[in-house]
Amino acid sequence: MRIALERASVQFGKLAVTDEVTLAVESGDFVTIVGPSGCGKSTLLNAIAGLLDTVDCRITGRVHVEGDHPGRPRLAYVFQRDTLLPWATILANVETGMAIQGVPKAERVRRARELMHTVGLDGFESYYPHQVSGGMRQRTQLIRSLAYEPEAMLMDEPFGALDAQNRMLLQAELLRIWERRRMTTVFVTHDLAEAIVLGQRVVVMSRRPGRVKRVYDIPLPSPRDPFELRASPQFAKLETSIWADLRDEFRPAAA
């Protein structure tokens, strides 16, 4: 799936959130987006997903999503907040998207169990969300989105609420799944190290109204190990270069 933003601007009332954002995400790319709070990172994801209500906001420019299948593109959206169904078991939560698609029960269970095994959730099929840890709930959210085989993943700080150890474990699992499936992925984060570890490209956004300040290619080898990568000189050099661009956007604007 290819995603293209062409001079995309979003305005809520008098508040300009993004300003003429142009960005192309090719099929199979993994692109991460960093920038200060309020610069429109999540708004761009919502625009791509078609979740912005044009009654409440004004959108100009072009947001184009081109899938491999006719009709509505298969987009998965993974949020930072927990969106699991509290009354459903972990297994039933993973099945949710497939059930909506009309996938037969036996196939749903097979796929769900296979994905649960992939992320180490074997044995927790009958547990409910409140009975498992935050990291396990995020694993469940991730594989629930993968279960119906989306063409693209939109991810809005999905690991932001986790401790550092669980975050790196989930980064490793996401990279492993992406290496195998190569689904187009746009991942928003406030964590520059996370953006570098995960992305083939890192998009740096300016302060609001958000613009694309610069796009960095990340020439790190694959497969990537989030633990080992952070200790490499190449990673440190990239982090220093990107932070030099990013830090100015966190400083107050000159009067």
Side-chain angles (χ1 to χ4, degrees), residues 27-231:
S27 182
D29 274 359
F30 197 130
V31 171
T32 55
I33 302 177
V34 291
S37 294
C39 73
K41 301 184 297 295
S42 298
T43 298
L44 289 178
L45 289 189
N46 289 336
I48 293 166
L51 297 179
L52 293 180
D53 187 345
T54 53
V55 173
D56 297 326
C57 70
R58 180 170 177 262
I59 306 170
T60 58
R62 186 167 180 260
V63 180
H64 182 63
V65 179
E66 183 181 334
D68 298 326
H69 303 286
R72 188 172 179 81
R74 281 189 183 178
L75 284 169
Y77 203 139
V78 183
F79 299 90
Q80 178 179 359
R81 67 182 183 274
D82 190 335
T83 59
L84 297 179
L85 304 175
W87 59 84
T89 64
I90 298 299
L91 180 65
N93 265 288
V94 178
E95 290 183 54
T96 303
M98 294 185 286
I100 293 169
Q101 277 189 315
V103 176
K105 177 67 175 177
E107 176 63 12
R108 295 202 310 261
V109 172
R110 185 194 68 77
R111 278 196 221 169
R113 288 184 179 277
E114 182 180 284
L115 284 164
M116 289 182 72
H117 174 72
T118 299
V119 297
L121 287 174
D122 293 312
F124 290 92
E125 292 85 353
S126 299
Y127 283 65
Y128 289 85
H130 72 275
Q131 296 176 311
V132 300
S133 69
M136 294 169 80
R137 288 196 297 272
Q138 282 303 99
R139 284 183 172 86
T140 304
Q141 290 208 116
L142 175 60
I143 62 174
R144 178 179 64 179
S145 297
L146 292 167
Y148 67 94
E149 299 178 343
E151 297 173 69
M153 294 275 286
L154 306 178
M155 309 187 77
D156 192 3
E157 298 190 66
F159 309 147
L162 301 177
D163 60 64
Q165 291 78 16
N166 270 309
R167 190 179 305 152
M168 282 194 281
L169 286 169
L170 277 170
Q171 288 166 3
E173 288 174 1
L174 175 59
L175 283 170
R176 184 160 44 84
I177 292 166
W178 178 81
E179 286 283 353
R180 189 170 69 249
R181 295 196 177 195
R182 292 284 172 160
M183 62 278 185
T184 306
T185 304
V186 183
F187 188 108
V188 163
T189 179
H190 277 100
D191 184 338
L192 178 55
E194 180 172 68
I196 296 168
V197 164
L198 294 176
Q200 293 179 305
R201 289 184 293 150
V202 173
V203 178
V204 175
M205 297 281 292
S206 71
R207 65 170 68 89
R208 189 177 65 238
R211 304 175 181 88
V212 173
K213 185 175 184 180
R214 189 167 175 183
V215 180
Y216 286 84
D217 289 322
I218 306 298
L220 296 172
S222 293
R224 298 178 185 177
D225 183 322
F227 299 92
E228 295 178 1
L229 206 56
R230 284 169 166 81

